[in-house]
Amino acid sequence: MQFEIERIVRTALEEDIGLGDITTEVTVVADTVARAQLVAKEDFTLAGIDVAATVFRTLDGDVSFEKLLEDGHQVKRGEVLAWIRGGAPVLLQGERTALNLLQRMSGIASLTAQYVDKVKGTNAVIVDTRKTVPGLRALDKYAVRMGGGRNHRIGLFDGVLIKENHSAAAGGITAAVTRAKQKLPHTLKIEVETRNLTEVQEALDAAADIIMLDNMNYDEMRQGVELIAGRALVEASGGVNLETVREIAETGVGIISVGALTHSVKAADISMLLD
Amino acid sequence: MQFEIERIVRTALEEDIGLGDITTEVTVVADTVARAQLVAKEDFTLAGIDVAATVFRTLDGDVSFEKLLEDGHQVKRGEVLAWIRGGAPVLLQGERTALNLLQRMSGIASLTAQYVDKVKGTNAVIVDTRKTVPGLRALDKYAVRMGGGRNHRIGLFDGVLIKENHSAAAGGITAAVTRAKQKLPHTLKIEVETRNLTEVQEALDAAADIIMLDNMNYDEMRQGVELIAGRALVEASGGVNLETVREIAETGVGIISVGALTHSVKAADISMLLD
Amino acid sequence: MQFEIERIVRTALEEDIGLGDITTEVTVVADTVARAQLVAKEDFTLAGIDVAATVFRTLDGDVSFEKLLEDGHQVKRGEVLAWIRGGAPVLLQGERTALNLLQRMSGIASLTAQYVDKVKGTNAVIVDTRKTVPGLRALDKYAVRMGGGRNHRIGLFDGVLIKENHSAAAGGITAAVTRAKQKLPHTLKIEVETRNLTEVQEALDAAADIIMLDNMNYDEMRQGVELIAGRALVEASGGVNLETVREIAETGVGIISVGALTHSVKAADISMLLD
Amino acid sequence: MQFEIERIVRTALEEDIGLGDITTEVTVVADTVARAQLVAKEDFTLAGIDVAATVFRTLDGDVSFEKLLEDGHQVKRGEVLAWIRGGAPVLLQGERTALNLLQRMSGIASLTAQYVDKVKGTNAVIVDTRKTVPGLRALDKYAVRMGGGRNHRIGLFDGVLIKENHSAAAGGITAAVTRAKQKLPHTLKIEVETRNLTEVQEALDAAADIIMLDNMNYDEMRQGVELIAGRALVEASGGVNLETVREIAETGVGIISVGALTHSVKAADISMLLD
Amino acid sequence: MQFEIERIVRTALEEDIGLGDITTEVTVVADTVARAQLVAKEDFTLAGIDVAATVFRTLDGDVSFEKLLEDGHQVKRGEVLAWIRGGAPVLLQGERTALNLLQRMSGIASLTAQYVDKVKGTNAVIVDTRKTVPGLRALDKYAVRMGGGRNHRIGLFDGVLIKENHSAAAGGITAAVTRAKQKLPHTLKIEVETRNLTEVQEALDAAADIIMLDNMNYDEMRQGVELIAGRALVEASGGVNLETVREIAETGVGIISVGALTHSVKAADISMLLD
Amino acid sequence: MQFEIERIVRTALEEDIGLGDITTEVTVVADTVARAQLVAKEDFTLAGIDVAATVFRTLDGDVSFEKLLEDGHQVKRGEVLAWIRGGAPVLLQGERTALNLLQRMSGIASLTAQYVDKVKGTNAVIVDTRKTVPGLRALDKYAVRMGGGRNHRIGLFDGVLIKENHSAAAGGITAAVTRAKQKLPHTLKIEVETRNLTEVQEALDAAADIIMLDNMNYDEMRQGVELIAGRALVEASGGVNLETVREIAETGVGIISVGALTHSVKAADISMLLD
């Protein structure tokens, strides 16, 4: 992920700084050294602390970024996340970009942690979707992991999900699964989206590895789980929120995918304070 | 903004599709033609319809994207935003990326519109900040405009905002403003962040063009506005939310900057339905 | 794969043409129209005909490239693969790049087809490895498919292969598989490399999805297949060549991975003839 | 060549690793230090040892890569080429890319060395062509030099080769050479492809600097050499292989260009062994 | 500006060196250490010394570049600007690129200094335009500052200049200014180009922040200044050269923009001498 | 050169327009169609007309650019170079970039034409150097050709010039030439820089293909030409200007290289007038 983080940080810095931080250039002596801390202004689950470090180090390889907490940590309001020491212009120029990334990532981790907490004690794991912010998928998905969730496929290239339109185009679920098994790398499981129990049965007969129960109600989910009976992984999708996730988990599904983890993120409240 | 949209769309598509949409490749005949509609699943302010079109056209120049509504439109649940016609694989491959962009942008526009609505009848305008998602600033700021807001500076390169740290480094507000006026392009206004009325007075004396009242309470804001008396633009910043924004506007400030417009976005609910 | 092909073709053309084809510039009138055919000088399996078309179209969108044969076709010596019509400079400048790509890809497809032919009638499928030419993996793997083979994982990011070093680092096969199952996307199968039957048994007990028999002799392979008894996919690797592949297939393994498909390619003999 | 090597290595690593080596991430502790050796599994001529070093150093600047042999060395089976010490994940992630590059380059050097050996004692030098793998030309051509061969022009931009189509377009060899001499940088020699002695004579009369005898038989070559009598460099091309190259060299030509050096490469057998 | 300098230097080096400095490669032993000085061959104002350093450091991080003079210094013929120590090939390969950049930048700074000198004692400041060399605007504008000038807007994105065509399209100067004030960031001043006193009056009435007197004669300028009477900044443009600039300044305008500063540059004479 | 022109134009437009031409956006209706002409404001030699077309077409593929004159034409003041028709915003946004490129290129062509004119009737040709503007070398060298000059090597990679430092490092001119002849592509001529007749003799004895007489006076040049007597090409370098070039040409040298052609360019005066 190293190259991807470098790409994201570089793009972000170029976007914000362009040909120069004109305010700092005319007010701050270039070689003034400064020290700053990243401080939590509320409770949250930390994600992105190394990305924040990369922001400052990309601007100046000599910046010292002392990380006090690791990603995944449950941060309490007032805790110091890291100490940063370097040229004052560098600190001022990296501040907004570092915070923009760190606050979003920690926001995702925190929301994920809430979902994970809700299903504690069930067999269900919380996974993300492809509903991420364009250009930041690697970070969004990493943040989900830091919140205790797991990742679904990264993109269209590394996982198979036969949706309704694919089945229809292939001439039915059976045909679609058969073709996928014949053509695709043997390293990938075949997942099929189903909308009712008839489709669940068809996917099961076609020996799908994963069966997604899409937008079903609790009863249907329970029946789906029963029908599948361990012969495939079961994923619930659609209508998942903090109110519904527990009851969904209790239907016995193994995987619950949640778009909201990444498509509607509330930034965690973090400040950078210069000494 | 054309090149930037192309860059964003391209990055997003490469991120999602990588070396190929393997599910579609094995299930859908490449030259099947399909038709789809983008439909609103809730009420919102539209932003990003041309960006969505660019997604599909980047995949295939022959896709027809018929836009039914323009950005800025107040969309009602159930309204069709656009009709898309093209190769079925192209529609399936572009769907997620187009929605990810369109839903975020419309989410921003809708939230902005709420703020703008709150201050209706006052002299205040709602502006954004640099708290945007890294890599998408151009789209985030465009969406704010579509929601009726206005933009603050794009980045550190095209606007001057002398914050506390800058003033301190320069030896005070007066020194900082003076240097900015002597060194920077005459085309830019000089903005100064102030935390109390003493600093407001100093900024005024230094002939700052814009004075930001940062994290002041309503009374301080009112006194600040009175003190400035039209000799500089007045911007309120900090502690702005949908509950406070009206009262802030009524203090007489001309500009209210709102970080939440872009840092904590709820995606608008939009679907793509294939015929 | 469209963007990747564009990237490869563009890189190749820039590498070959640089600031200009100086010979053509001084000898050929720029707007002379020419016609050329791509002709097979030996028998082979075709792969890359659309890539060749992309070469010429990247140089000039107005070139007409009429494809007479599709990838996967068993070409006979003397067959015409395609007719190209366009500016003479464009044809001369694209010739070498188009041939370099087409000849390599067809070489891979042809070698793959020989392996596939050798195992006909057995249950084994021929798959590739990551021993591809840096920068051309997408094309190398596509060519394998055109020759009747199938693809192993694309890279380190989309498949799990627990090799000896990974097991050792994790504290044994069992621990490694367990961690992979707990942490990685549920969409991926877990493959384990084994060097003897004890390791096969351990991988089986750990519920690995795919077991690789690495550098085993025929007897060991047969015993491995028997031991696994359908509870996991079985992949043979190491020491595979056109002399050994049939006997390996007859041990009952389901997948045979062959590095030579892509690491030691003989270019297919193809010429471009201008009228 | 430094920037080009960096580009190639970076592209190769991104292609193989993408968003991460997921197997290593879940099985290997990130800061485990490991040591590995690159070992020859057969005899070959070494090329690419510094490129292999660049692979590991691009992943992590702190890797120590101790080179034991230099490019151009005749390696014996069992010899250790280099010792590498660094983070275990880094060694595992760089292994395949480093080997893919090193094995191809050494394969080219070894094949070149065979050709060079065949013509020992004659005046002929072995040169390469533009039949290289797209994207790797700089490395392919470097490897030829390490094998004792020399380079023909890099691409269409830095050398002049008037082929049949160019002559035809210009109105004959004389006209083509004349225009090239009038228009092109005085720093470049003018080479003309000829198919028979009449054309050789015409090229000679036009004062071509280099005359290529294309696809001629031994007798024609001998006559060509005699006709030219030192007034131009003589290059033989076409039908060159390890069986024919000696006799071609003995016709007296000064340069023999061999496409097979780079278009049909057998990878040298090299392993990386972790301690 | 750091990233932009890196981009410019990298582009320049790739352009000049391509796949290698073939002369140096065959004549100079790679690890020979050399020392060189940059020496002024005429009097000029220095600009670009750090850019020159970046050239050598981009080629090799170990080069030592000891800067003896700072940008903005009035260099006398014969003065040594810097000492460079590093690998002889690196010094030879970086020489031309470093000089090309340093000579152009110092040429711009020197010409600017002449203009600035001419207007000494008046209230006018000398500013640049967008007539810079494509790709080098950041350096061109930096050099103007080193010569004592100031910058106009960087590009079309960070400043507002309503020219005749814009006014016409908007329905007059008043309409254009009004729209700009309503729509654009409050951080930017609005500048209007005027061709006569009627337009000056209209711009003044529309409350333009800056009024450009375009191609007016001295009398018109004087009347314009009088009319504006400090209510807007006044910029003179058109027909400015070293002969006219003093008289223009004496009309009382505050800003004089000079295209020639960057569009017609005479390189400063600087040599690199190897010990 | 097509890809290079695209790169240059794209870089230039992004540099100037960034995230948008904010003045035009608020004043001009996006789909207003406009027409403009490019007009000569002085006499000059045209170069870059197709580059100017590429600027507008890069912004909008639908722009019509009707070229009235070809590169190389001796333009008279008042002549119209081209008519452009397209969206008004596109014309306004492309204007400055198109002119910046066209004016520089025509400036170079015009200056070259003056030098070429001066040496008319002698055997000398005028060639350029590597003293070009970083990033624009391809255009600078093209413009020299349009002015009737010829190109020296493009960069360090496609031509051999053994300077004093190279000879010294190699152990003398003879050693340096010998090594170059043994190692470098046979397609390149070997050029040697000489400072006196002794060195000329040494270069001649070493069979250099081109001998540069560097900074010699007229007498030395004449003696050099006499000494060489047609056995090598002779290039004069150093101290060349419009006053000296004729006398240099009359010494009998065949090639005169002129740095000023590209390092000190006066932009040709060209305007774009909207109807």
Side-chain angles (χ1 to χ4, degrees), chain A residues 5 20 196 235 239 267:
Chain A
I5 291 175
N196 52 53
E235 175 177 339

Side-chain angles (χ1 to χ4, degrees), chain C residues 4 7-8 11-12 14-29 32 92-97 100-101 103-104 130-138 153-163 165-167 169-171 176-177 179-180 183-185 188 263-267 274-275, chain D residues 4 7-8 11-12 14-29 32 92-97 100-101 103-104 130-138 153-163 165-167 169-171 176-177 179-180 183-185 188 263-267 274-275:
Chain C
E4 182 67 358
R7 184 194 65 75
I8 290 170
T11 300
E14 291 182 345
E15 178 185 70
D16 193 35
I17 304 181
L19 294 186
D21 172 1
I22 55 181
T23 309
T24 300
E25 276 163 20
V26 298
T27 57
V28 183
V29 176
T32 313
L92 291 166
Q93 283 157 24
E95 174 182 5
R96 187 72 267 138
T97 296
N100 282 352
L101 288 163
Q103 291 182 258
R104 175 177 174 83
R130 288 165 46 239
K131 297 179 181 176
T132 56
V133 158
L136 297 189
R137 184 165 292 169
R153 59 177 174 172
I154 308 174
L156 296 171
F157 55 91
D158 74 323
V160 186
L161 177 44
I162 298 170
K163 298 194 179 183
N165 290 312
H166 299 106
S167 297
V177 172
R179 270 150 78 165
K183 298 268 189 181
L184 291 175
L188 300 173
H263 77 46
S264 293
V265 178
K266 196 188 143 295
L274 268 87
D275 266 8
Chain D
E4 181 67 357
R7 184 193 64 75
I8 289 170
T11 299
E14 291 182 345
E15 178 184 69
D16 193 35
I17 304 181
L19 293 186
D21 172 0
I22 55 180
T23 308
T24 301
E25 277 163 19
V26 298
T27 56
V28 182
V29 176
T32 314
L92 290 167
Q93 282 156 25
E95 174 182 6
R96 186 74 267 138
T97 296
N100 282 351
L101 289 163
Q103 291 182 259
R104 175 176 174 85
R130 289 164 47 238
K131 298 179 181 176
T132 56
V133 158
L136 298 188
R137 185 165 291 169
R153 59 177 175 174
I154 308 173
L156 295 171
F157 56 91
D158 75 322
V160 186
L161 177 45
I162 298 171
K163 297 194 180 184
N165 291 312
H166 299 106
S167 297
V177 173
R179 272 149 78 165
K183 299 268 188 178
L184 291 174
L188 300 173
H263 76 48
S264 294
V265 178
K266 195 185 144 299
L274 267 88
D275 266 10

